[in-house]
Short mmCIF file of all heavy atoms in Angstrom, two decimals:
data_model
loop_
_atom_site.label_atom_id
_atom_site.label_comp_id
_atom_site.label_asym_id
_atom_site.label_seq_id
_atom_site.Cartn_x
_atom_site.Cartn_y
_atom_site.Cartn_z
N PHE A 111 32.41 -107.10 135.96
CA PHE A 111 31.79 -107.92 134.92
C PHE A 111 32.51 -107.65 133.62
O PHE A 111 32.44 -106.56 133.08
CB PHE A 111 30.29 -107.60 134.79
CG PHE A 111 29.53 -108.58 133.93
CD1 PHE A 111 29.09 -109.80 134.43
CD2 PHE A 111 29.24 -108.28 132.60
CE1 PHE A 111 28.40 -110.71 133.64
CE2 PHE A 111 28.55 -109.18 131.80
CZ PHE A 111 28.12 -110.38 132.32
N VAL A 122 18.90 -104.66 143.17
CA VAL A 122 19.34 -105.15 141.87
C VAL A 122 20.13 -106.45 142.05
O VAL A 122 20.85 -106.62 143.04
CB VAL A 122 20.18 -104.09 141.11
CG1 VAL A 122 21.54 -103.87 141.73
CG2 VAL A 122 20.33 -104.47 139.64
N PHE A 123 19.95 -107.35 141.10
CA PHE A 123 20.66 -108.63 141.08
C PHE A 123 22.15 -108.39 140.86
O PHE A 123 22.54 -107.63 139.96
CB PHE A 123 20.08 -109.46 139.93
CG PHE A 123 20.66 -110.84 139.77
CD1 PHE A 123 20.16 -111.90 140.51
CD2 PHE A 123 21.67 -111.08 138.85
CE1 PHE A 123 20.68 -113.19 140.34
CE2 PHE A 123 22.19 -112.35 138.68
CZ PHE A 123 21.69 -113.40 139.42
N THR A 124 22.98 -109.03 141.69
CA THR A 124 24.43 -108.90 141.53
C THR A 124 24.89 -109.76 140.35
O THR A 124 24.66 -110.98 140.36
CB THR A 124 25.15 -109.36 142.80
OG1 THR A 124 24.69 -108.56 143.90
CG2 THR A 124 26.65 -109.21 142.67
N PRO A 125 25.52 -109.17 139.33
CA PRO A 125 25.96 -109.99 138.19
C PRO A 125 27.00 -111.02 138.61
O PRO A 125 27.82 -110.77 139.49
CB PRO A 125 26.56 -108.97 137.21
CG PRO A 125 26.67 -107.70 137.95
CD PRO A 125 25.83 -107.75 139.17
N ARG A 126 26.92 -112.21 138.00
CA ARG A 126 27.77 -113.34 138.37
C ARG A 126 28.82 -113.60 137.29
O ARG A 126 28.54 -113.43 136.09
CB ARG A 126 26.93 -114.62 138.50
CG ARG A 126 25.68 -114.48 139.35
CD ARG A 126 26.02 -114.38 140.81
NE ARG A 126 24.92 -114.83 141.65
CZ ARG A 126 23.98 -114.06 142.16
NH1 ARG A 126 23.96 -112.77 141.89
NH2 ARG A 126 23.05 -114.57 142.94
N THR A 129 27.87 -115.65 134.16
CA THR A 129 27.07 -115.02 133.11
C THR A 129 27.95 -114.40 132.01
O THR A 129 27.48 -114.13 130.90
CB THR A 129 26.15 -113.95 133.75
OG1 THR A 129 25.32 -114.61 134.71
CG2 THR A 129 25.26 -113.24 132.75
N ASP A 150 19.09 -107.12 125.32
CA ASP A 150 19.28 -107.93 126.53
C ASP A 150 17.99 -107.85 127.32
O ASP A 150 17.69 -106.81 127.92
CB ASP A 150 20.48 -107.36 127.31
CG ASP A 150 20.64 -107.96 128.69
OD1 ASP A 150 20.09 -109.06 128.94
OD2 ASP A 150 21.33 -107.34 129.53
N LEU A 151 17.19 -108.93 127.29
CA LEU A 151 15.92 -108.94 128.02
C LEU A 151 16.19 -109.38 129.46
O LEU A 151 16.91 -110.35 129.68
CB LEU A 151 14.93 -109.90 127.34
CG LEU A 151 14.54 -109.54 125.90
CD1 LEU A 151 13.58 -110.59 125.33
CD2 LEU A 151 13.90 -108.14 125.82
N CYS A 152 15.60 -108.68 130.44
CA CYS A 152 15.84 -108.92 131.87
C CYS A 152 17.25 -108.46 132.23
O CYS A 152 18.07 -109.22 132.76
CB CYS A 152 15.66 -110.40 132.22
SG CYS A 152 14.07 -111.08 131.74
N THR A 153 17.55 -107.20 131.98
CA THR A 153 18.93 -106.72 132.00
C THR A 153 19.49 -106.47 133.40
O THR A 153 20.70 -106.37 133.57
CB THR A 153 19.06 -105.46 131.12
OG1 THR A 153 20.42 -105.21 130.82
CG2 THR A 153 18.46 -104.23 131.79
N GLY A 154 18.64 -106.34 134.44
CA GLY A 154 19.15 -106.14 135.80
C GLY A 154 20.01 -104.90 135.89
O GLY A 154 19.58 -103.78 135.54
N SER A 155 21.26 -105.07 136.32
CA SER A 155 22.21 -103.94 136.42
C SER A 155 22.64 -103.42 135.06
O SER A 155 23.38 -102.43 134.98
CB SER A 155 23.45 -104.40 137.18
OG SER A 155 24.10 -105.43 136.44
N GLY A 156 22.23 -104.13 133.99
CA GLY A 156 22.68 -103.77 132.64
C GLY A 156 23.92 -104.53 132.22
O GLY A 156 24.48 -104.29 131.14
N ALA A 157 24.34 -105.49 133.05
CA ALA A 157 25.65 -106.14 132.87
C ALA A 157 25.89 -106.63 131.44
O ALA A 157 26.90 -106.27 130.81
CB ALA A 157 25.79 -107.30 133.85
N ILE A 158 24.99 -107.46 130.95
CA ILE A 158 25.23 -108.10 129.65
C ILE A 158 25.18 -107.04 128.54
O ILE A 158 26.07 -106.98 127.67
CB ILE A 158 24.19 -109.21 129.39
CG1 ILE A 158 24.27 -110.29 130.47
CG2 ILE A 158 24.37 -109.81 128.00
CD1 ILE A 158 23.13 -111.31 130.41
N VAL A 174 16.20 -104.34 128.56
CA VAL A 174 14.82 -104.23 129.02
C VAL A 174 14.74 -104.80 130.43
O VAL A 174 15.27 -105.89 130.69
CB VAL A 174 13.85 -105.00 128.08
CG1 VAL A 174 12.43 -104.95 128.62
CG2 VAL A 174 13.92 -104.44 126.67
N GLU A 175 14.09 -104.06 131.33
CA GLU A 175 14.02 -104.49 132.74
C GLU A 175 12.66 -104.12 133.31
O GLU A 175 12.19 -103.01 133.15
CB GLU A 175 15.15 -103.81 133.53
CG GLU A 175 15.09 -103.98 135.02
CD GLU A 175 15.04 -105.43 135.50
OE1 GLU A 175 15.85 -106.25 135.04
OE2 GLU A 175 14.18 -105.73 136.34
N LEU A 176 12.06 -105.10 134.01
CA LEU A 176 10.72 -104.93 134.57
C LEU A 176 10.72 -104.12 135.86
O LEU A 176 9.81 -103.33 136.11
CB LEU A 176 10.15 -106.34 134.86
CG LEU A 176 8.79 -106.42 135.53
CD1 LEU A 176 7.70 -105.95 134.58
CD2 LEU A 176 8.50 -107.86 135.97
N ASP A 177 11.71 -104.35 136.70
CA ASP A 177 11.70 -103.80 138.05
C ASP A 177 12.23 -102.36 138.06
O ASP A 177 13.37 -102.13 137.61
CB ASP A 177 12.55 -104.70 138.94
CG ASP A 177 12.54 -104.23 140.38
OD1 ASP A 177 11.46 -104.14 140.96
OD2 ASP A 177 13.63 -103.92 140.91
N ALA A 180 15.79 -101.94 139.65
CA ALA A 180 16.87 -102.47 138.80
C ALA A 180 17.04 -101.59 137.57
O ALA A 180 18.18 -101.31 137.13
CB ALA A 180 16.56 -103.91 138.40
N GLY A 200 9.99 -102.17 131.54
CA GLY A 200 8.78 -102.92 131.19
C GLY A 200 9.06 -104.41 131.15
O GLY A 200 10.19 -104.86 131.37
N ALA A 201 8.00 -105.17 130.84
CA ALA A 201 8.11 -106.63 130.81
C ALA A 201 8.78 -107.08 129.52
O ALA A 201 8.44 -106.59 128.43
CB ALA A 201 6.73 -107.25 130.94
N ALA A 202 9.67 -108.05 129.66
CA ALA A 202 10.33 -108.62 128.47
C ALA A 202 9.29 -109.18 127.51
O ALA A 202 9.47 -109.13 126.28
CB ALA A 202 11.28 -109.73 128.91
N GLN A 203 8.19 -109.70 128.07
CA GLN A 203 7.18 -110.37 127.24
C GLN A 203 6.55 -109.45 126.20
O GLN A 203 5.99 -109.93 125.22
CB GLN A 203 6.07 -110.96 128.14
CG GLN A 203 6.53 -112.12 129.02
CD GLN A 203 7.09 -111.72 130.36
OE1 GLN A 203 7.63 -110.62 130.53
NE2 GLN A 203 7.01 -112.60 131.34
N SER A 218 19.53 -113.17 127.10
CA SER A 218 18.78 -113.01 128.34
C SER A 218 19.33 -113.92 129.44
O SER A 218 19.65 -115.08 129.19
CB SER A 218 17.29 -113.36 128.12
OG SER A 218 16.57 -113.15 129.31
N ASN A 219 19.43 -113.36 130.63
CA ASN A 219 19.61 -114.15 131.84
C ASN A 219 18.36 -113.90 132.67
O ASN A 219 18.34 -113.03 133.53
CB ASN A 219 20.87 -113.71 132.59
CG ASN A 219 21.03 -114.44 133.92
OD1 ASN A 219 20.40 -115.46 134.15
ND2 ASN A 219 21.88 -113.91 134.79
N PRO A 220 17.30 -114.66 132.39
CA PRO A 220 16.02 -114.39 133.05
C PRO A 220 15.99 -115.02 134.44
O PRO A 220 16.87 -115.82 134.78
CB PRO A 220 15.03 -115.11 132.13
CG PRO A 220 15.80 -116.30 131.63
CD PRO A 220 17.24 -115.84 131.51
N PRO A 221 14.96 -114.70 135.25
CA PRO A 221 14.78 -115.46 136.49
C PRO A 221 14.43 -116.90 136.12
O PRO A 221 13.57 -117.11 135.27
CB PRO A 221 13.62 -114.74 137.18
CG PRO A 221 12.95 -113.92 136.13
CD PRO A 221 13.92 -113.68 135.04
N TYR A 222 15.12 -117.88 136.75
CA TYR A 222 14.85 -119.27 136.34
C TYR A 222 14.85 -120.28 137.49
O TYR A 222 14.75 -121.48 137.27
CB TYR A 222 15.85 -119.72 135.28
CG TYR A 222 17.33 -119.51 135.60
CD1 TYR A 222 17.95 -120.15 136.67
CD2 TYR A 222 18.11 -118.68 134.79
CE1 TYR A 222 19.30 -119.96 136.94
CE2 TYR A 222 19.46 -118.48 135.05
CZ TYR A 222 20.05 -119.13 136.13
OH TYR A 222 21.38 -118.95 136.40
N PRO A 239 16.84 -109.53 144.66
CA PRO A 239 15.38 -109.37 144.64
C PRO A 239 14.69 -110.66 144.17
O PRO A 239 15.18 -111.33 143.26
CB PRO A 239 15.17 -108.25 143.61
CG PRO A 239 16.50 -107.60 143.43
CD PRO A 239 17.53 -108.62 143.76
N VAL A 241 12.10 -111.05 142.40
CA VAL A 241 11.70 -110.97 140.98
C VAL A 241 12.85 -111.35 140.06
O VAL A 241 12.64 -111.72 138.90
CB VAL A 241 11.15 -109.56 140.66
CG1 VAL A 241 12.24 -108.50 140.79
CG2 VAL A 241 10.51 -109.49 139.28
N ALA A 242 14.08 -111.28 140.59
CA ALA A 242 15.25 -111.63 139.78
C ALA A 242 15.54 -113.12 139.82
O ALA A 242 16.34 -113.61 139.01
CB ALA A 242 16.47 -110.87 140.28
N LEU A 243 14.92 -113.83 140.76
CA LEU A 243 15.33 -115.22 141.00
C LEU A 243 14.37 -116.25 140.41
O LEU A 243 14.79 -117.16 139.71
CB LEU A 243 15.46 -115.47 142.50
CG LEU A 243 16.50 -114.61 143.24
CD1 LEU A 243 16.49 -114.94 144.73
CD2 LEU A 243 17.89 -114.84 142.67
N ILE A 253 8.83 -118.21 132.98
CA ILE A 253 9.29 -116.89 132.50
C ILE A 253 10.34 -117.04 131.40
O ILE A 253 10.25 -116.36 130.37
CB ILE A 253 9.75 -116.01 133.68
CG1 ILE A 253 8.56 -115.69 134.59
CG2 ILE A 253 10.40 -114.72 133.18
CD1 ILE A 253 8.89 -114.97 135.87
N GLU A 256 8.53 -117.65 128.21
CA GLU A 256 7.81 -116.45 127.75
C GLU A 256 8.79 -115.46 127.11
O GLU A 256 8.48 -114.82 126.11
CB GLU A 256 7.07 -115.79 128.92
CG GLU A 256 5.86 -116.56 129.41
CD GLU A 256 5.22 -115.96 130.66
OE1 GLU A 256 5.69 -114.90 131.14
OE2 GLU A 256 4.27 -116.56 131.15
N VAL A 257 9.97 -115.35 127.73
CA VAL A 257 10.99 -114.45 127.17
C VAL A 257 11.44 -114.97 125.80
O VAL A 257 11.59 -114.21 124.83
CB VAL A 257 12.19 -114.33 128.14
CG1 VAL A 257 13.34 -113.56 127.51
CG2 VAL A 257 11.75 -113.64 129.44
N GLU A 274 20.70 -117.83 129.47
CA GLU A 274 21.26 -118.56 130.61
C GLU A 274 20.16 -119.40 131.26
O GLU A 274 18.97 -119.08 131.18
CB GLU A 274 21.83 -117.56 131.64
CG GLU A 274 22.46 -118.27 132.83
CD GLU A 274 23.29 -117.34 133.72
OE1 GLU A 274 23.94 -116.41 133.19
OE2 GLU A 274 23.28 -117.56 134.95
C1 SAM B 14 18.69 -113.24 137.04
S1 SAM B 14 18.48 -111.48 136.97
C2 SAM B 14 19.66 -111.12 135.68
C3 SAM B 14 20.12 -109.70 135.63
C4 SAM B 14 21.25 -109.44 134.62
N1 SAM B 14 20.84 -109.77 133.28
C5 SAM B 14 22.49 -110.24 134.97
O1 SAM B 14 22.78 -111.23 134.28
O2 SAM B 14 23.17 -109.90 135.94
C6 SAM B 14 16.92 -111.35 136.15
C7 SAM B 14 16.40 -109.93 135.93
O3 SAM B 14 15.17 -109.99 135.22
C8 SAM B 14 14.27 -109.04 135.74
N2 SAM B 14 12.92 -109.53 135.37
C9 SAM B 14 12.17 -110.45 135.99
N3 SAM B 14 11.03 -110.67 135.29
C10 SAM B 14 11.10 -109.87 134.20
C11 SAM B 14 10.24 -109.65 133.09
N4 SAM B 14 9.10 -110.31 132.96
N5 SAM B 14 10.61 -108.76 132.16
C12 SAM B 14 11.78 -108.07 132.27
N6 SAM B 14 12.64 -108.23 133.30
C13 SAM B 14 12.30 -109.13 134.25
C14 SAM B 14 14.56 -109.01 137.22
O4 SAM B 14 14.10 -107.82 137.82
C15 SAM B 14 16.10 -109.13 137.19
O5 SAM B 14 16.68 -107.87 137.10
#
Side-chain angles (χ1 to χ4, degrees):
F111 191 81
V122 70
F123 182 85
T124 302
R126 311 287 205 268
T129 301
D150 170 20
L151 299 178
C152 306
T153 197
S155 63
I158 300 171
V174 177
E175 171 56 48
L176 177 69
D177 183 58
Q203 292 89 332
S218 183
N219 176 16
Y222 52 63
V241 65
L243 299 178
I253 294 173
E256 288 175 2
V257 172
E274 182 168 325

